[in-house]
Amino acid sequence: MILTFKEVYLHSYGCAVSEKVAKQLSSAKIDHIFKDDLGEECSFEKGERAYLSKACDAAIRKSTLQMNELDCAIGADLNNQLSASHYFIRDYEIPFIGMYAACASSALLFNQAAMMIEAKQAHNILLFTSSNYGAASKQFRYPNTYGEQKKESATTTLTGAGAIILSNIPSTICIKEGFIGRVIDWHYNNVADMGGAMAPAVYQNFIEYLNQTKYQIDDFDCIATGDLSKVGFHSFAQLLMQDHINVDQRFMDCGLHVFDMQKNDVFSGGSGPACSMVVLICELLDKLEKGIYHRILLLASGALFNPIAIYQKESIPCICHGIVLERCIS
Amino acid sequence: MELKKYQDVIQKNQPRKKWVKNLVIAFVSGGSIGLLAQFLKVMLMNVFMLEASIASSYVIVCIILIACVTTGLGWYEKLAQYCGAGLFIPISGFANSLTSAALEGKSEGFIYGIGSRIFSLAGSVITYGIVSAALFGIIRLLLFGGQ
């Protein structure tokens, strides 16, 4: 489902990350760095809210808006019942929509917010995503100190949060287009290889988007996938090359940019709803603002599995949502 | 949907499994724990003058203690990533599973956190251990009259 927007602009942004992530990203754009996953709190879940608090606080402070000018907030995280988002936003007292698309949440939130602004139902919307390594391990995998021998194809959930305010107030960066992707389930059930599971979903949704819009890859200065990481990104590139699409320097993966890939402890790369959001804020928006990029496509990828479904021998359904950000003269 | 195409591509991009390296490391690390246990037993029998059966029990307790403390310090998981089965097969693996689950459950309190979660990973081992013991006990009774 392709969406086009004419009146949606990126107003401000903020992000908070852990020290491990901060070492790798451009620190000029990071608003707060926490020492560890706990975020100076007593549990990972509370820590995730602390990260969100810093990211959203920064985005609002950098904007020209008052709190009462925010019409709505839209948030996403990996926790059951979106607990990080709900327990965080309760202090803000603004209308809230919680959404879940796992690691594809960033692009989904952009599309949702842009639709509401384009339809003139809202003027200013705060959107945020977060993830926490400790909380995600507790919910999806094993306790953090458990002596599990992780596979090399496994990804490491990034601990961080990113917040963006979209508005109808003209600015340098506008949201031009987006697509809501289809769920693709190709009967893959290896939960130690999320990247490989998501690669076909990104490939299929991306090809369908190109076919419907008749765009070429040259129409974009950068095509960034969310968190396919090593295995997934190589698979995605191979699938594109089989379709005679030249995978050149404009293709990148956010999951390969958030950690130092030379160190063994991150395995295949980074993942999480905050992954694509944080790389967008720290690396890609900067290039758009400086005019290095004029038009970028973010293909946020998500693995929509449930641990109970996996134990019941189900496979991993995956999705990819997309958003096009453009530099526009304000 | 081109299932075969996806399967081929993703399969080709899987990291190569290092079977031999993992086997050798597991063998050496598991054997090292066995050596450590034997050393402790000999020390307990000769230095502390304990009987063999009591010394064996103390050795198991020592291994469990070392596993629990190293889990709490965050060292165990790093070692386990390297050693694999060499660490989770012996009693150290069982101790680590209980300790890590308890540490994780701390934030939810004693009843719903630690108490409920402590056996979340080891539960299967205990359940099927007890079921197997009962089953084989019954078989032994029926076949050999309990002898």
Side-chain angles (χ1 to χ4, degrees):
Chain A
M1 178 172 138
I2 298 184
L3 307 161
T4 50
F5 312 110
K6 294 189 176 66
E7 301 286 336
V8 185
Y9 301 91
L10 197 138
H11 187 77
S12 65
Y13 48 83
C15 80
V17 296
S18 64
E19 224 169 51
K20 190 168 169 174
V21 175
K23 282 184 194 150
Q24 204 53 25
L25 294 175
S26 157
S27 58
K29 296 291 180 181
I30 300 174
D31 295 285
H32 193 91
I33 302 171
F34 283 99
K35 220 163 65 81
D36 59 19
D37 297 343
L38 285 169
E40 293 157 33
E41 297 286 341
C42 58
S43 74
F44 296 120
E45 289 76 15
K46 291 193 168 96
E48 192 169 347
R49 292 175 228 157
Y51 276 82
L52 267 173
S53 182
K54 292 290 183 194
C56 291
D57 186 60
I60 295 168
R61 281 178 196 283
K62 284 191 261 178
S63 76
T64 57
L65 303 167
Q66 303 293 323
M67 280 298 292
N68 57 8
E69 289 176 281
L70 284 173
D71 296 301
C72 172
I74 313 179
D77 61 78
L78 283 177
N79 295 293
N80 288 330
Q81 293 85 44
L82 298 176
S83 63
S85 305
H86 291 135
Y87 281 84
F88 158 70
I89 204 67
R90 63 184 167 177
D91 298 328
Y92 273 51
E93 298 183 356
I94 54 175
F96 177 70
I97 302 171
M99 302 185 94
Y100 184 85
C103 311
S105 297
S106 54
L108 179 65
L109 303 194
F110 265 100
N111 279 309
Q112 178 63 54
M115 273 196 280
M116 289 159 71
I117 294 173
E118 185 73 12
K120 299 188 179 12
Q121 302 294 329
H123 302 289
N124 309 299
I125 298 182
L126 168 70
L127 45 106
F128 56 82
T129 61
S130 67
S131 50
N132 185 289
Y133 177 77
S137 296
K138 202 164 149 178
Q139 187 176 294
F140 288 100
R141 294 181 284 270
Y142 297 110
N144 286 276
T145 46
Y146 180 60
E148 171 206 14
Q149 192 179 40
K150 292 201 178 93
K151 307 276 185 301
E152 272 188 51
S153 55
T155 52
T156 304
T157 307
L158 169 148
T159 300
I164 283 180
I165 295 181
L166 293 187
S167 174
N168 56 8
I169 303 166
S171 71
T172 321
I173 300 171
C174 51
I175 316 304
K176 264 286 174 258
E177 210 170 80
F179 71 81
I180 308 281
R182 293 197 288 127
V183 175
I184 304 290
D185 187 343
W186 60 284
H187 308 301
Y188 193 56
N189 59 6
N190 182 5
V191 290
D193 177 20
M194 290 284 108
M198 293 187 290
V202 180
Y203 161 76
Q204 211 163 314
N205 280 296
F206 177 51
I207 292 296
E208 282 168 16
Y209 173 65
L210 289 180
N211 288 342
Q212 284 178 45
T213 55
K214 310 284 181 235
Y215 288 138
Q216 305 294 320
I217 57 157
D218 293 332
D219 292 318
F220 303 100
D221 297 311
C222 174
I223 299 172
T225 52
D227 56 354
L228 291 179
S229 300
K230 262 195 233 163
V231 176
F233 189 64
H234 291 156
S235 304
F236 173 62
Q238 246 172 29
L239 287 167
L240 288 179
M241 288 194 288
Q242 284 178 6
D243 279 3
H244 310 292
I245 293 176
N246 180 26
V247 179
D248 54 18
Q249 297 303 315
R250 81 190 71 224
F251 284 87
M252 63 164 275
D253 181 66
C254 299
L256 292 171
H257 275 250
V258 288
F259 292 124
D260 181 358
M261 297 302 295
Q262 300 303 317
K263 293 201 175 144
N264 290 330
D265 62 347
V266 292
F267 307 98
S268 196
S271 66
C275 185
S276 49
M277 196 69 126
V278 156
V279 172
L280 179 71
I281 290 170
C282 293
E283 309 273 315
L284 302 178
L285 290 183
D286 187 48
K287 291 188 170 144
L288 272 172
E289 281 167 355
K290 288 183 177 152
I292 301 170
Y293 289 156
H294 286 85
R295 189 173 150 93
I296 66 171
L297 170 64
L298 174 66
L299 297 165
S301 48
L304 304 171
F305 79 101
N306 171 266
I308 293 173
I310 295 294
Y311 296 146
Q312 292 176 357
K313 309 282 184 243
E314 290 279 359
S315 50
I316 305 169
C318 298
I319 200 164
C320 170
H321 299 301
I323 195 84
V324 176
L325 292 107
E326 232 176 65
R327 181 179 161 77
C328 45
I329 314 297
S330 60
Chain B
M1 204 170 23
E2 302 133 308
L3 287 180
K4 184 81 179 53
K5 179 166 122 176
Y6 298 152
Q7 279 157 8
D8 288 341
V9 169
I10 274 75
Q11 197 52 45
K12 238 195 312 193
N13 283 296
Q14 289 298 316
R16 243 173 6 121
K17 289 191 169 74
K18 300 171 188 146
W19 293 110
V20 177
K21 181 183 166 199
N22 286 342
L23 270 166
V24 169
I25 293 174
F27 179 75
V28 170
S29 53
S32 304
I33 295 197
L35 263 175
L36 170 69
Q38 188 61 31
F39 168 75
L40 282 171
K41 185 176 176 181
V42 167
M43 191 188 72
L44 285 168
M45 283 171 68
N46 293 329
V47 175
F48 294 95
M49 302 304 177
L50 292 171
E51 280 176 18
S53 57
I54 298 194
S56 294
S57 304
Y58 278 29
V59 162
I60 292 175
V61 171
C62 285
I63 303 283
I64 290 171
L65 178 67
I66 293 169
C68 292
V69 169
T70 49
T71 300
L73 290 170
W75 300 346
Y76 190 97
E77 76 215 61
K78 294 189 179 74
L79 201 58
Q81 177 60 38
Y82 183 68
C83 300
L87 231 56
F88 75 69
I89 295 287
I91 196 80
S92 49
F94 188 80
N96 164 254
S97 71
L98 262 60
T99 312
S100 60
L103 286 170
E104 198 96 302
K106 197 180 91 164
S107 53
E108 280 88 75
F110 284 108
I111 308 290
Y112 295 108
I114 298 173
S116 294
R117 284 172 175 265
I118 195 165
F119 288 107
S120 57
L121 294 164
S124 294
V125 173
I126 293 168
T127 305
Y128 293 107
I130 294 170
V131 166
S132 306
L135 194 64
F136 288 114
I138 292 168
I139 292 172
R140 187 177 148 185
L141 176 70
L142 291 172
L143 291 178
F144 307 110
Q147 300 307 317

